[in-house]
PDB file of all heavy atoms in Angstrom:
ATOM      1  N   ALA A1216      65.252 -19.778  59.466  1.00  0.00           N
ATOM      2  CA  ALA A1216      66.112 -19.339  58.343  1.00  0.00           C
ATOM      3  C   ALA A1216      65.319 -19.104  57.073  1.00  0.00           C
ATOM      4  O   ALA A1216      65.773 -18.377  56.182  1.00  0.00           O
ATOM      5  CB  ALA A1216      67.215 -20.370  58.100  1.00  0.00           C
ATOM      6  N   SER A1217      64.141 -19.678  56.962  1.00  0.00           N
ATOM      7  CA  SER A1217      63.324 -19.506  55.755  1.00  0.00           C
ATOM      8  C   SER A1217      62.797 -18.077  55.604  1.00  0.00           C
ATOM      9  O   SER A1217      62.339 -17.714  54.523  1.00  0.00           O
ATOM     10  CB  SER A1217      62.155 -20.482  55.773  1.00  0.00           C
ATOM     11  OG  SER A1217      61.177 -20.050  56.685  1.00  0.00           O
ATOM     12  N   ASP A1218      62.818 -17.314  56.669  1.00  0.00           N
ATOM     13  CA  ASP A1218      62.346 -15.938  56.676  1.00  0.00           C
ATOM     14  C   ASP A1218      60.928 -15.797  56.117  1.00  0.00           C
ATOM     15  O   ASP A1218      60.590 -14.820  55.470  1.00  0.00           O
ATOM     16  CB  ASP A1218      63.305 -15.029  55.894  1.00  0.00           C
ATOM     17  CG  ASP A1218      64.646 -14.869  56.555  1.00  0.00           C
ATOM     18  OD1 ASP A1218      64.687 -14.900  57.813  1.00  0.00           O
ATOM     19  OD2 ASP A1218      65.652 -14.736  55.853  1.00  0.00           O
ATOM     20  N   GLY A1219      60.096 -16.806  56.345  1.00  0.00           N
ATOM     21  CA  GLY A1219      58.690 -16.748  55.950  1.00  0.00           C
ATOM     22  C   GLY A1219      58.446 -16.951  54.459  1.00  0.00           C
ATOM     23  O   GLY A1219      57.316 -16.804  53.998  1.00  0.00           O
ATOM     24  N   ASP A1220      59.476 -17.291  53.686  1.00  0.00           N
ATOM     25  CA  ASP A1220      59.320 -17.502  52.253  1.00  0.00           C
ATOM     26  C   ASP A1220      58.479 -18.744  51.988  1.00  0.00           C
ATOM     27  O   ASP A1220      58.846 -19.842  52.412  1.00  0.00           O
ATOM     28  CB  ASP A1220      60.705 -17.649  51.606  1.00  0.00           C
ATOM     29  CG  ASP A1220      60.625 -17.905  50.122  1.00  0.00           C
ATOM     30  OD1 ASP A1220      60.248 -16.997  49.372  1.00  0.00           O
ATOM     31  OD2 ASP A1220      60.913 -19.060  49.723  1.00  0.00           O
ATOM     32  N   ASP A1221      57.343 -18.576  51.284  1.00  0.00           N
ATOM     33  CA  ASP A1221      56.406 -19.699  51.072  1.00  0.00           C
ATOM     34  C   ASP A1221      57.067 -20.889  50.392  1.00  0.00           C
ATOM     35  O   ASP A1221      56.841 -22.031  50.777  1.00  0.00           O
ATOM     36  CB  ASP A1221      55.221 -19.233  50.219  1.00  0.00           C
ATOM     37  CG  ASP A1221      54.245 -18.345  50.984  1.00  0.00           C
ATOM     38  OD1 ASP A1221      54.379 -18.225  52.212  1.00  0.00           O
ATOM     39  OD2 ASP A1221      53.372 -17.764  50.337  1.00  0.00           O
ATOM     40  N   SER A1222      57.843 -20.657  49.360  1.00  0.00           N
ATOM     41  CA  SER A1222      58.480 -21.742  48.624  1.00  0.00           C
ATOM     42  C   SER A1222      59.463 -22.514  49.502  1.00  0.00           C
ATOM     43  O   SER A1222      59.481 -23.754  49.495  1.00  0.00           O
ATOM     44  CB  SER A1222      59.216 -21.178  47.387  1.00  0.00           C
ATOM     45  OG  SER A1222      59.872 -22.207  46.711  1.00  0.00           O
ATOM     46  N   THR A1223      60.252 -21.795  50.278  1.00  0.00           N
ATOM     47  CA  THR A1223      61.222 -22.463  51.167  1.00  0.00           C
ATOM     48  C   THR A1223      60.509 -23.227  52.277  1.00  0.00           C
ATOM     49  O   THR A1223      60.911 -24.339  52.633  1.00  0.00           O
ATOM     50  CB  THR A1223      62.201 -21.424  51.742  1.00  0.00           C
ATOM     51  OG1 THR A1223      62.795 -20.702  50.674  1.00  0.00           O
ATOM     52  CG2 THR A1223      63.290 -22.105  52.566  1.00  0.00           C
ATOM     53  N   LEU A1224      59.430 -22.654  52.806  1.00  0.00           N
ATOM     54  CA  LEU A1224      58.658 -23.362  53.832  1.00  0.00           C
ATOM     55  C   LEU A1224      58.011 -24.617  53.269  1.00  0.00           C
ATOM     56  O   LEU A1224      57.950 -25.649  53.946  1.00  0.00           O
ATOM     57  CB  LEU A1224      57.606 -22.438  54.448  1.00  0.00           C
ATOM     58  CG  LEU A1224      58.168 -21.379  55.382  1.00  0.00           C
ATOM     59  CD1 LEU A1224      57.133 -20.313  55.684  1.00  0.00           C
ATOM     60  CD2 LEU A1224      58.697 -22.000  56.658  1.00  0.00           C
ATOM     61  N   CYS A1225      57.564 -24.557  52.024  1.00  0.00           N
ATOM     62  CA  CYS A1225      57.006 -25.747  51.398  1.00  0.00           C
ATOM     63  C   CYS A1225      58.099 -26.808  51.213  1.00  0.00           C
ATOM     64  O   CYS A1225      57.852 -28.013  51.431  1.00  0.00           O
ATOM     65  CB  CYS A1225      56.348 -25.383  50.073  1.00  0.00           C
ATOM     66  SG  CYS A1225      55.213 -26.652  49.490  1.00  0.00           S
ATOM     67  N   ASP A1226      59.305 -26.379  50.830  1.00  0.00           N
ATOM     68  CA  ASP A1226      60.434 -27.306  50.737  1.00  0.00           C
ATOM     69  C   ASP A1226      60.713 -27.944  52.095  1.00  0.00           C
ATOM     70  O   ASP A1226      61.036 -29.127  52.178  1.00  0.00           O
ATOM     71  CB  ASP A1226      61.690 -26.594  50.235  1.00  0.00           C
ATOM     72  CG  ASP A1226      61.616 -26.179  48.774  1.00  0.00           C
ATOM     73  OD1 ASP A1226      60.786 -26.736  48.041  1.00  0.00           O
ATOM     74  OD2 ASP A1226      62.381 -25.276  48.389  1.00  0.00           O
ATOM     75  N   LEU A1227      60.616 -27.147  53.144  1.00  0.00           N
ATOM     76  CA  LEU A1227      60.796 -27.674  54.505  1.00  0.00           C
ATOM     77  C   LEU A1227      59.750 -28.727  54.818  1.00  0.00           C
ATOM     78  O   LEU A1227      60.072 -29.802  55.338  1.00  0.00           O
ATOM     79  CB  LEU A1227      60.732 -26.513  55.523  1.00  0.00           C
ATOM     80  CG  LEU A1227      60.727 -26.890  57.001  1.00  0.00           C
ATOM     81  CD1 LEU A1227      61.971 -27.651  57.396  1.00  0.00           C
ATOM     82  CD2 LEU A1227      60.555 -25.653  57.859  1.00  0.00           C
ATOM     83  N   GLY A1228      58.498 -28.442  54.473  1.00  0.00           N
ATOM     84  CA  GLY A1228      57.421 -29.386  54.758  1.00  0.00           C
ATOM     85  C   GLY A1228      57.539 -30.677  53.998  1.00  0.00           C
ATOM     86  O   GLY A1228      57.326 -31.772  54.524  1.00  0.00           O
ATOM     87  N   ALA A1229      57.862 -30.567  52.698  1.00  0.00           N
ATOM     88  CA  ALA A1229      57.965 -31.752  51.839  1.00  0.00           C
ATOM     89  C   ALA A1229      59.279 -32.484  51.977  1.00  0.00           C
ATOM     90  O   ALA A1229      59.437 -33.576  51.459  1.00  0.00           O
ATOM     91  CB  ALA A1229      57.756 -31.325  50.380  1.00  0.00           C
ATOM     92  N   GLY A1230      60.226 -31.885  52.713  1.00  0.00           N
ATOM     93  CA  GLY A1230      61.535 -32.475  52.898  1.00  0.00           C
ATOM     94  C   GLY A1230      61.772 -32.870  54.349  1.00  0.00           C
ATOM     95  O   GLY A1230      61.254 -33.902  54.804  1.00  0.00           O
ATOM     96  N   PRO A1231      62.538 -32.067  55.094  1.00  0.00           N
ATOM     97  CA  PRO A1231      62.897 -32.462  56.463  1.00  0.00           C
ATOM     98  C   PRO A1231      61.723 -32.703  57.398  1.00  0.00           C
ATOM     99  O   PRO A1231      61.737 -33.663  58.170  1.00  0.00           O
ATOM    100  CB  PRO A1231      63.748 -31.259  56.951  1.00  0.00           C
ATOM    101  CG  PRO A1231      64.319 -30.686  55.697  1.00  0.00           C
ATOM    102  CD  PRO A1231      63.240 -30.855  54.650  1.00  0.00           C
ATOM    103  N   LEU A1232      60.675 -31.882  57.321  1.00  0.00           N
ATOM    104  CA  LEU A1232      59.517 -32.093  58.202  1.00  0.00           C
ATOM    105  C   LEU A1232      58.830 -33.412  57.863  1.00  0.00           C
ATOM    106  O   LEU A1232      58.475 -34.190  58.765  1.00  0.00           O
ATOM    107  CB  LEU A1232      58.533 -30.921  58.108  1.00  0.00           C
ATOM    108  CG  LEU A1232      57.302 -31.010  59.000  1.00  0.00           C
ATOM    109  CD1 LEU A1232      57.681 -31.137  60.487  1.00  0.00           C
ATOM    110  CD2 LEU A1232      56.403 -29.787  58.772  1.00  0.00           C
ATOM    111  N   GLU A1233      58.670 -33.674  56.581  1.00  0.00           N
ATOM    112  CA  GLU A1233      58.085 -34.942  56.168  1.00  0.00           C
ATOM    113  C   GLU A1233      58.942 -36.139  56.595  1.00  0.00           C
ATOM    114  O   GLU A1233      58.415 -37.181  56.990  1.00  0.00           O
ATOM    115  CB  GLU A1233      57.914 -34.927  54.644  1.00  0.00           C
ATOM    116  CG  GLU A1233      57.001 -36.005  54.095  1.00  0.00           C
ATOM    117  CD  GLU A1233      56.683 -35.768  52.645  1.00  0.00           C
ATOM    118  OE1 GLU A1233      55.795 -34.927  52.384  1.00  0.00           O
ATOM    119  OE2 GLU A1233      57.340 -36.399  51.799  1.00  0.00           O
ATOM    120  N   ASP A1234      60.255 -35.966  56.541  1.00  0.00           N
ATOM    121  CA  ASP A1234      61.176 -37.027  56.988  1.00  0.00           C
ATOM    122  C   ASP A1234      60.990 -37.301  58.493  1.00  0.00           C
ATOM    123  O   ASP A1234      60.984 -38.451  58.923  1.00  0.00           O
ATOM    124  CB  ASP A1234      62.629 -36.663  56.719  1.00  0.00           C
ATOM    125  CG  ASP A1234      62.972 -36.630  55.263  1.00  0.00           C
ATOM    126  OD1 ASP A1234      62.278 -37.277  54.447  1.00  0.00           O
ATOM    127  OD2 ASP A1234      63.958 -35.936  54.899  1.00  0.00           O
ATOM    128  N   VAL A1235      60.853 -36.251  59.274  1.00  0.00           N
ATOM    129  CA  VAL A1235      60.658 -36.394  60.729  1.00  0.00           C
ATOM    130  C   VAL A1235      59.324 -37.078  61.006  1.00  0.00           C
ATOM    131  O   VAL A1235      59.252 -38.004  61.831  1.00  0.00           O
ATOM    132  CB  VAL A1235      60.754 -35.032  61.455  1.00  0.00           C
ATOM    133  CG1 VAL A1235      60.311 -35.136  62.895  1.00  0.00           C
ATOM    134  CG2 VAL A1235      62.193 -34.519  61.363  1.00  0.00           C
ATOM    135  N   VAL A1236      58.263 -36.648  60.341  1.00  0.00           N
ATOM    136  CA  VAL A1236      56.960 -37.273  60.534  1.00  0.00           C
ATOM    137  C   VAL A1236      57.002 -38.746  60.090  1.00  0.00           C
ATOM    138  O   VAL A1236      56.428 -39.597  60.737  1.00  0.00           O
ATOM    139  CB  VAL A1236      55.858 -36.464  59.835  1.00  0.00           C
ATOM    140  CG1 VAL A1236      54.545 -37.236  59.830  1.00  0.00           C
ATOM    141  CG2 VAL A1236      55.677 -35.110  60.514  1.00  0.00           C
ATOM    142  N   GLY A1237      57.697 -39.004  58.997  1.00  0.00           N
ATOM    143  CA  GLY A1237      57.844 -40.382  58.532  1.00  0.00           C
ATOM    144  C   GLY A1237      58.575 -41.253  59.537  1.00  0.00           C
ATOM    145  O   GLY A1237      58.266 -42.421  59.717  1.00  0.00           O
ATOM    146  N   ALA A1238      59.579 -40.694  60.189  1.00  0.00           N
ATOM    147  CA  ALA A1238      60.363 -41.434  61.147  1.00  0.00           C
ATOM    148  C   ALA A1238      59.695 -41.592  62.509  1.00  0.00           C
ATOM    149  O   ALA A1238      59.810 -42.629  63.148  1.00  0.00           O
ATOM    150  CB  ALA A1238      61.742 -40.781  61.336  1.00  0.00           C
TER     151      ALA A1238
END
Side-chain angles (χ1 to χ4, degrees):
S1217 75
D1218 293 328
D1220 178 70
D1221 287 350
S1222 177
T1223 306
L1224 286 167
C1225 198
D1226 290 340
L1227 172 61
L1232 181 58
E1233 195 169 279
D1234 292 337
V1235 169
V1236 170

